[in-house]
Amino acid sequence: MTAHQEPPVELTAVAREDGVDAAAAAARRLIDSLLRAGDGTGVAMSGIAEQLTAIADRLDAHAPPFDERMVAMWAGDATTRHDPVTGPENALAPPVRFAGAADGSVSAVVELGVAYQGQPGCAHGGVSALLLDHALGVANHWGGRSGMTAELTLRYRAPVPLFVPLAVTGRQVAVDGRKLWAEGAISTADGAVCVAAKGFFIGKHLPRPR
């Protein structure tokens, strides 16, 4: 980093080492382990299922009403902890950690595991869409005006490989009143673009639960 460059700004929630974040990280590992193991390992999967069901039953027995949980989910600042892309509380999230640069762009590096597979050894196209929709939303927030997705256009140029570092980038490119436009991409480490995205957004948000 040269003297005139500003360090990137963290734009997503940072995972904690305890609490639900730690449990979600363990569940994320469990999902990967189940998919890697399958039924041909000699492990008694019925026993595993019983243990997991018991854990789920215990959590359900202590869970608050969902409307109360929604309030907690949406409390705090603009960075959510529960979404399926960046949320450290969500075992479905890789999770991705975006940072904002002084030039207006946002970026992250992520490695997708077998849980996100579509074609052999490659990420599902819907997963690419999920990552890029979120990246463009983060880019709009970093650009100063954010909103809800009205249209997302993707061009799949090459398969998105699993198990390798991938760059996910975004940038707000235009604003006209409540109309917002952003662009982004998923690329490999050598800069080859696998999926390119263009998004059109409307500058509004649903009210937060209270």
Side-chain angles (χ1 to χ4, degrees):
M1 183 173 64
T2 60
H4 68 278
Q5 290 178 317
E6 295 293 331
V9 176
E10 184 73 49
L11 299 177
T12 46
V14 177
R16 306 183 181 108
E17 296 183 357
D18 57 5
V20 68
D21 290 12
R28 200 174 291 122
R29 180 186 172 191
L30 174 66
I31 292 169
D32 184 77
S33 297
L34 283 170
L35 284 166
R36 288 176 178 268
D39 273 328
T41 61
V43 175
M45 287 297 181
S46 59
I48 298 290
E50 290 177 1
Q51 295 177 58
L52 296 179
T53 298
I55 292 171
D57 287 345
R58 182 180 177 188
L59 291 171
D60 288 344
H62 292 82
F66 188 63
D67 57 350
E68 293 182 15
R69 179 66 179 123
M70 285 281 283
V71 173
M73 282 180 170
W74 289 99
D77 58 20
T79 59
T80 59
R81 304 189 60 82
H82 59 268
D83 71 78
V85 176
T86 65
E89 294 184 3
N90 193 332
L92 300 180
V96 184
R97 291 180 60 179
F98 285 100
D103 64 1
S105 66
V106 302
S107 62
V109 176
V110 64
E111 186 170 313
L112 299 175
V114 68
Y116 306 100
Q117 182 173 228
Q119 293 291 318
C122 301
H124 193 288
V127 172
S128 296
L130 175 68
L131 296 181
L132 285 167
D133 180 52
H134 198 89
L136 301 192
V138 174
N140 283 327
H141 172 74
W142 181 238
R145 290 289 305 277
S146 62
M148 300 174 67
T149 309
E151 182 177 290
L152 183 66
T153 302
L154 301 178
R155 183 171 181 82
Y156 294 88
R157 298 183 179 177
V160 176
L162 302 178
F163 313 121
V164 299
L166 300 167
V168 185
T169 58
R171 180 191 298 271
Q172 187 177 80
V173 295
V175 176
D176 182 7
R178 295 173 63 220
K179 299 178 180 179
L180 317 170
W181 289 266
E183 297 180 356
I186 299 174
S187 307
T188 54
D190 60 2
V193 174
C194 299
V195 187
K198 295 182 178 181
F200 170 53
F201 300 80
I202 301 298
K204 64 176 292 184
H205 293 280
L206 298 178
R208 291 193 173 206
R210 298 185 182 278

